Structures are given as structure tokens and as C-alpha cells.
């Protein structure tokens, strides 16, 4: 079992605790002490991540004529990973401590000195000279297919979804009658036996990717690379992420993955520093050429206009669904002072997730002010009606101030309160999570009011 996630800022501790309290994210197998860097999404987390994935799918597949969707299997022919270079090149340099038997990445910042040399000090047991020289460690999980656990049956859990797209590129091209340039998009799980996992859902061993491979004519890849850089940043900004928390990072030669000629990351300033959550890569014809060679199948394209044959170049956009969810959560997390009536009802401090309303797991919460005087009956009718349109929550427990605070922590953008006036004139108050302002709305107008507020 690997060590607990490393957190370097109290904000992450608070976010992890809120995520558990409100049902966003739980540690996997928690009752058994947890499984290192594997996390489960609770009722609110699954909605938030699904909203992000659906938004990505809409913008990448439904809104574009030149991109098709795909859902390839996680398990693939083992030769795929030889051709892709992952068997030989998807490695991290690791060092072992001969005394305490712990294993670290060679570039672990906690290591003092040079691993393999007498000055190197183990960050766990503190011994000097016990760290081995770095050795390459493959990050792919292996498993066995079929009943016999021998070498012939070894297969891998995919470490990226991209390869499922490459091996299907001709199937999709032919069945969809697309022409180059065109793209294939996919959302799915990927697995990496990360050695220094941590920081909550930032680096995990099982995660989801939202990847799109855009196939272009050689020579046009730089133009498409810039196009996709600009599109992807716009998409991220439209999630409501503060632009001062976003920046580009171009990979230096020694940072480039084995398949990439050029790569830019979109980084976010997490509480633990600037880190990547999406990459745009120029993968050239590296993957398709290698698959053509290893599979012995022609993967070139005949341009119907020019009669030229070529292996397409690929521009890839690769985002982590979990990391994007973490960006959204970190960016939305605020601790605020509250004044006026709200402070009297729920306290002067609040924790609020200022999620973009269209991303919020719950769109509204329905509160009968008190559990008497026909208010619960009307509140239930409103709740039942709204549920047909939005994901809404009913809460009649505790003071109204406490109920607002719970929904603030859940990021619910609207609180609908049914009070004494409601039973007289069929109006309710709608409280805005961010401004704390309340509008009085006719119950017949609630669906259109919320629909308008949730757009975008
Ligand atoms: N197909 C290209 C590729 O996989 P990558 O930079 O290794 O490129 C792309 O990964 C994205 O996948 C990252 O930006 C990140 O959002 C996500 N990702 C990668 N490894 C991850 C991990 N261990 N845990 C969570 N997300 C991860």
C-alpha cells in the first residue's frame, strides 16, 4: 500500500474534508484503511464530473462536424503497447532504499544528495548511502487474460485512451465518411502505477481522460496545433475558472513524452503549486506509423482531391476528467464573511463552492421554512415538479440558515424557500448562492427562471 497523499497546503485538507462531508469524493475502500491514490465519487461528485464530461463531449463531438465519438475497450492487444512505445518508454526512474525498502522517484524533492552515491539520504528512514542508483520502472498495470497465468496471456490496463483511437482510425474514417482533417474523441478510464501519487484526485492510479486525436495532412499540423490550443483554453475559461489561475507551459525537450514533437500544458495554480491538467501534443505520425509497422496493416490515407497517399499527423488534446474536476473544485472553494440577516441565521463565516451554475451537481434546494402550516405540502409539490427538469434537493432539517450553509458547501446555486406568504399567493423566495440576494418568484415561473439562470 502506498503512503497517504502528500498535501502541502491547508486548503487541500479542507477541500478533501468538504468533499467527504458533502459526498463529492471518498477514499476507495476506506473501511479497509483505503487504497493508495484511488478515489470514489459520491452522489455530488459523480454529478459534477458528469457535467464536466458532458460539456466536453458536447463541445468536442456534438458541436463539430469534423469530430466523431468512440468508446474503445480498456483492454487491448498487447502488441498495441509495444508499437506505441509504452512497453519500452513509459517509465519513471526509481530508487530503492536498501535499509527500509521504500521506493521513490529519483527526482523526489525530499531526497538529499545523489541516489547511488554515499551522500544520498533516504527521506523515510534517514539512512545515508542506502539509496540505489535510479532504475527505470514501467508505469503500466499488467494483468492476465484467460485462465493461464503465463507470459503469452499478459495484457495491460491502458495508460492512455489515445491508442484505442489510433487502432480504430480507419474504421471510424470509413464508417463515418469523414475526410482528413477530422478528429476522434473519447472519454474513458486509464490506469498508471504512479510511484509518487498524491494530492487527492490530482494524481491517481485509476483516472478518466477526455482525449481527442485530430488527424491532419503532414505540413498542416502546426496550424492545427495552434487552433486546438486556442480552442481548449477557451473551453477551460468557459468553465468559469479565473483566468489569472491559468497559464501555458511549453515542454522543454527533456520533458517531452516519447511520442511528442511539441507539447503545451494548460496549468492551473493549485494550492500545491502550478500543475498541468490538460496537454496539447503534436504526435506527428509516430503512433500510426508504428501501428502500421507492428500490425502489418496499411494505415495511410488516400486524399480524394489530390490522389496523394500519406500517413496523417496527429494533434492531440488530452484532458484529465478528474484533474479538471479538481481544478473546478479548487477554483470554486471560498471561505467568506457573511453580514446581515444571513449572518444572524447561519453564522458570520461560510464555506461556499462558487461553481458555475450549469456545472453544479444540484441546481436548487427546496426548503419549507417550517414543517407546518401547509408549507411541507407545497414544498413537496414544487420539489416534485422541479425534479422533472433539474437535479434538485429537498431539505427540511434544522434552521433555514444551517440549510443554506449546507447547500453553499455543496455549491447549489439556488435555494427556494416556501414561507407563510407562499401558501397564500403561490410565490417563493429564490436565494442566489453568490450574491445572497432573494427574488420572490411565482411558483408557475420557477422552471423558466431557473432554466434562464442555468444557461451557459
Ligand atoms: N494521451 C496523452 C496523455 O496521456 P498525459 O500528459 O500523460 O498525456 C494527459 O496525460 C492528462 O491526463 C493530464 O493532463 C492529466 O489531466 C491526466 N492524467 C495523467 N495522469 C494522471 C494521473 N495519474 N491521475 C490523474 N490524472 C492524470
Amino acid at each position: 500500500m502506498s503512503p497517504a497523499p502528500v498535501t502541502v497546503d491547508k486548503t487541500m485538507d479542507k477541500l478533501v474534508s468538504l468533499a467527504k462531508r458533502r459526498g463529492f469524493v471518498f477514499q476507495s475502500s476506506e473501511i479497509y484503511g483505503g487504497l493508495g491514490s484511488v478515489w470514489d465519487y459520491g452522489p455530488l461528485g459523480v454529478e459534477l464530473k458528469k457535467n464536466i464530461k458532458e460539456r466536453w463531449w458536447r463541445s468536442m463531438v456534438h458541436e463539430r462536424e469534423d469530430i466523431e465519438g468512440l468508446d474503445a475497450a480498456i483492454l487491448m492487444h498487447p502488441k498495441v503497447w509495444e508499437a506505441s512505445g509504452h512497453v519500452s518508454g513509459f517509465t519513471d526512474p526509481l530508487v530503492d532504499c536498501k535499509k527500509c525498502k521504500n521506493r521513490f522517484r529519483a527526482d523526489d524533492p525530499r531526497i538529499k544528495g545523489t541516489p547511488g552515491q554515499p551522500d544520498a539520504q533516504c527521506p523515510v528512514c534517514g539512512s545515508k548511502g542506502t539509496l540505489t542508483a535510479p532504475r527505470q520502472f514501467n508505469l503500466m498495470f499488467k494483468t492476465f487474460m484467460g485462465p493461464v497465468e503465463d507470459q503469452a496471456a499478459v495484457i495491460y490496463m491502458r495508460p492512455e485512451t489515445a491508442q484505442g483511437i489510433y487502432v480504430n482510425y480507419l474504421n471510424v474514417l470509413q464508417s463515418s465518411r469523414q475526410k482528413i482533417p477530422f478528429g476522434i474523441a473519447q472519454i474513458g478510464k486509464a490506469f498508471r502505477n504512479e510511484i509518487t501519487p498524491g494530492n487527492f484526485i490530482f494524481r491517481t492510479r485509476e483516472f478518466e481522460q477526455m482525449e481527442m486525436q485530430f488527424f491532419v495532412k503532414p505540413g498542416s499540423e502546426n496550424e492545427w496545433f495552434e487552433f486546438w490550443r486556442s480552442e481548449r483554453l477557451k473551453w477551460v475559461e468557459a468553465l468559469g475558472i479565473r483566468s489569472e489561475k491559468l497559464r501555458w507551459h511549453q515542454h522543454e525537450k527533456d520533458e517531452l513524452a516519447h511520442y511528442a514533437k511539441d507539447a503545451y500544458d494548460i496549468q492551473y495554480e493549485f494550492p500545491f503549486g502550478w500543475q498541468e491538467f490538460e496537454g496539447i501534443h503534436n504526435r506527428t505520425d509516430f503512433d500510426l506509423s508504428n501501428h502500421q509497422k507492428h500490425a502489418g496493416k496499411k494505415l495511410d490515407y488516400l486524399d480524394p482531391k489530390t490522389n496523394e497517399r500519406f500517413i496523417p499527423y496527429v494533434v492531440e488534446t488530452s484532458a484529465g476528467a478528474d484533474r479538471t474536476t479538481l481544478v473546478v473544485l479548487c477554483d470554486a472553494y471560498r471561505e467568506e464573511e457573511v453580514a446581515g440577516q444571513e449572518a444572524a441565521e447561519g453564522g458570520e463565516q461560510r464555506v461556499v463552492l462558487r461553481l458555475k451554475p450549469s456545472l453544479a451537481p444540484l441546481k436548487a434546494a427546496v426548503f419549507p421554512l417550517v414543517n407546518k402550516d401547509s408549507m411541507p405540502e407545497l414544498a413537496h409539490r414544487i420539489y416534485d415538479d422541479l425534479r422533472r427538469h433539474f437535479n434538485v434537493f429537498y431539505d427540511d432539517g434544522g434552521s433555514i440558515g444551517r440549510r443554506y450553509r449546507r447547500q453553499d458547501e455543496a455549491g447549489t446555486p439556488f435555494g427556494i424557500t416556501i414561507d407563510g406568504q407562499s401558501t397564500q399567493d403561490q410565490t417563493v423566495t429564490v436565494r442566489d448562492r453568490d450574491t445572497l440576494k432573494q427574488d420572490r418568484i411565482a411558483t408557475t415561473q420557477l422552471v423558466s427562471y431557473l432554466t434562464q439562470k442555468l444557461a451557459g
Side-chain angles (χ1 to χ4, degrees), residues 303-319:
D303 189 323
K305 279 204 198 114
T306 62
N307 258 343
E308 277 174 279
R309 277 194 178 276
F310 56 83
I311 297 203
Y313 268 41
V314 170
V315 175
E316 168 182 68
T317 73
S318 176

Side-chain angles (χ1 to χ4, degrees), residues 323-337:
R323 253 186 225 181
T324 308
T325 303
L326 185 59
V327 167
V328 166
L329 282 172
C330 288
D331 209 62
Y333 182 89
R334 308 290 159 82
E335 292 170 5
E336 295 179 350
E337 299 284 327

